[in-house]
């Protein structure tokens, strides 16, 4: 099958969160499974310099955007056999310091930037000699693609366009713009109605995707249920209920080629489920790196996160303030809301021997923290899937999570199965409930045999993409029953 994925971020080229990891891992897994995948994404600042093997394609986009036309080039790179990345090069739109914002302010022309990108994706699907069987778009930035295709099918003679699948990674971010932005799409006016892209007088890109995509997926089974409720539907629950029969929850996988403890250049010490000494060595190394007392016996908690309300930062700050009277350490790597950044900085100033904070973004440090910590805190308010708890599991770092969305689907609590427990869950969204869960963590820590059992279970939990990818292929086959199966993989004689 030939699948065109469209995403505004793709690891390792651009990333603000798990979307980048997921799209790249899905592309790789599809290719491994014998399908052909291409991922189209914007060419942001620095990518060409970092990847000199990028090639310019003999292809120019010249597409209407509102009352003007905008040109762009197409560049490409084969990431692995069967997986090509297509980059849309429009320097005025994408060669900037941030992907979506700068100095905590969204770019004022984000509507134009992502309507244009969506148009490029639809254009490639139609005119490139590589004809996809399915177009799979991710989040609001490309959620207009299904709508952009429809009038081309009806009025412009695109006989048999590929069906579309929309994956919702963040329902809370919908791409809302003033009604005037709709003209950028050059879609017929009847797409801007109650049953289209219009939402309380504004343009809502994600809503358009929910209305027009042939199938909708989200990144865990529990979150798929949650978003059809008023409490968690971010005002789109009624639309999602209308599409309930085409809505599927598929838990993300983990790219274990990247996230592993035995062959990982980011880690000073390798370790595995049968050779855990390296984990302690990583802990001592991280304590040194972060300026904390080097004490292997002290329980070390960690968080790596976008510092946004979604992630439960407020209750984490509250719980830490309570728990830091105990003999524990805590490290944070994160960035986001200035108020939250300041909150953690203040905590580090109050507890210099116990708390170390790095405000910023570092892939290498994120691996070292995952490897070094005993416990990983993820008290999210809501969590479509969450990847860090799954990375923690593989690293033998016991996740302490709020039982919501993908966190609930991927972590097993003692109360669910004493023998198979991999982490600690709490339910109520409060600092008190998180502090209580942290006390459970400390109780486990005091029983080495129990801690070993948790770690063993956690490290052996398997969220590899081999399983997950079949679920996506099943959705693709549902919306395009005529598409061919995987191309035959040649086995060497
Ligand atoms: P979300 O996508 O909602 O932010 P996920 O848990 O799905 O949450 O994915 C977050 C991804 O971003 C993980 O790969 C995590 O390691 C990474 N990440 C988040 N913040 C940072 C940071 N400050 N530095 C490095 N990596 C980060
Ligand atoms: C979003 C969600 C996160 C999920 C990621 C990848 O960023 O917030 O829960 O893991 O997308 O699907």
């Amino acid at each position: 099958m030939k699948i065109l994925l469209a995403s505004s971020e793709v690891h390792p080229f651009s990333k603000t969160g798990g979307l980048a990891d997921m799209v790249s891992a899905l592309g790789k897994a599809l290719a491994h499974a014998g399908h052909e995948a291409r991922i189209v994404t914007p060419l942001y600042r620095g990518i060409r310099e970092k990847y000199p093997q990028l090639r310019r394609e003999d292809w120019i986009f010249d597409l209407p955007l509102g009352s003007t036309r905008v040109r762009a080039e197409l560049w490409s790179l084969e990431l692995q056999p069967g997986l090509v990345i297509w980059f849309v090069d429009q320097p005025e739109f994408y060669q900037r310091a941030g992907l979506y914002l700068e100095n905590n302010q969204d770019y004022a022309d984000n509507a134009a930037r992502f309507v244009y990108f969506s148009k490029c994706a639809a254009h490639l699907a139609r005119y490139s000699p590589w004809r996809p069987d399915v177009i799979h778009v991710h989040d609001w930035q490309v959620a207009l693609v299904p709508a952009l295709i429809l009038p081309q099918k009806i009025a412009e003679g695109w006989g048999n366009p590929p069906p579309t699948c929309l994956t919702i990674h963040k329902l809370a971010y919908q791409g809302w713009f003033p009604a005037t932005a709709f003209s950028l799409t050059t879609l017929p006016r009847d797409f801007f109605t109650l049953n289209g892209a219009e939402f309380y007088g504004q343009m809502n890109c994600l809503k358009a995707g929910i209305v027009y995509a042939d199938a909708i997926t989200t990144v865990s089974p529990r979150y798929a249920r949650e978003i059809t409720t008023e409490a968690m539907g971010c005002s789109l629950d009624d639309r999602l209920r209308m599409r309930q029969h085409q809505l599927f929850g598929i838990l993300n996988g983990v790219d274990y080629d990247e996230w592993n403890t035995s062959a990982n250049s980011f880690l000073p010490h390798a370790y595995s489920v049968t050779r855990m000494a390296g984990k302690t060595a990583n802990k001592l190394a991280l304590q040194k790196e972060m300026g904390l007392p080097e004490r292997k016996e002290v329980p070390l908690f960690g968080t790596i996160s976008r510092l946004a309300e979604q992630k439960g930062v407020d209750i984490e700050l509250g719980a830490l303030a309570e728990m830091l009277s105990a003999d524990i350490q805590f490290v944070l790597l994160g960035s986001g809301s200035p108020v939250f950044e300041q909150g953690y900085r203040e905590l580090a100033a109050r507890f210099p021997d116990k708390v170390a904070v790095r405000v910023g973004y570092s892939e290498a440090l994120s691996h070292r923290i995952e490897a070094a910590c005993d416990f990983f805190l993820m008290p999210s308010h809501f969590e479509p899937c969450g990847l860090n708890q799954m990375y923690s599991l593989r690293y033998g770092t016991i996740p302490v999570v709020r039982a919501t969305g993908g966190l609930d689907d991927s972590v097993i609590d003692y109360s669910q199965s004493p023998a198979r427990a991999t982490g600690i869950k709490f339910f109520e969204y409060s600092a008190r409930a998180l502090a209580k869960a942290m006390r459970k963590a400390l109780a486990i820590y005091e029983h080495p045999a129990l801690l070993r059992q948790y770690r063993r279970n956690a490290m052996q939990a398997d969220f590899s993409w081999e399983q997950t990818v079949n679920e996506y292929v099943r959705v693709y086959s549902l919306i395009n029953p005529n598409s061919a199966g995987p191309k035959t993989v040649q086995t060497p004689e």
Side-chain angles (χ1 to χ4, degrees), residues 377-405:
L377 300 181
M378 210 155 162
S380 306
H381 192 42
F382 61 91
E383 195 61 77
C385 177
L387 293 173
N388 269 122
Q389 81 284 8
M390 294 199 262
Y391 301 155
S392 301
L393 290 170
R394 182 47 59 107
Y395 282 51
T397 300
I398 306 308
V400 179
V401 303
R402 199 169 89 79
T404 182

Side-chain angles (χ1 to χ4, degrees), residues 319-369:
L320 283 169
E322 180 181 333
M323 292 301 294
L324 280 162
S325 53
D327 187 20
I328 64 170
Q329 292 181 347
F330 171 75
V331 292
L332 169 93
L333 169 64
S335 62
S337 146
V339 179
F340 292 146
E341 290 180 357
Q342 187 54 25
Y344 283 106
R345 283 202 182 98
E346 282 168 12
L347 207 63
R350 253 176 80 197
F351 299 97
D353 283 345
K354 293 186 171 180
V355 176
V357 167
R358 290 283 180 283
V359 171
Y361 188 90
S362 163
E363 193 186 346
L365 183 56
S366 74
H367 283 260
R368 293 199 291 274
I369 292 178

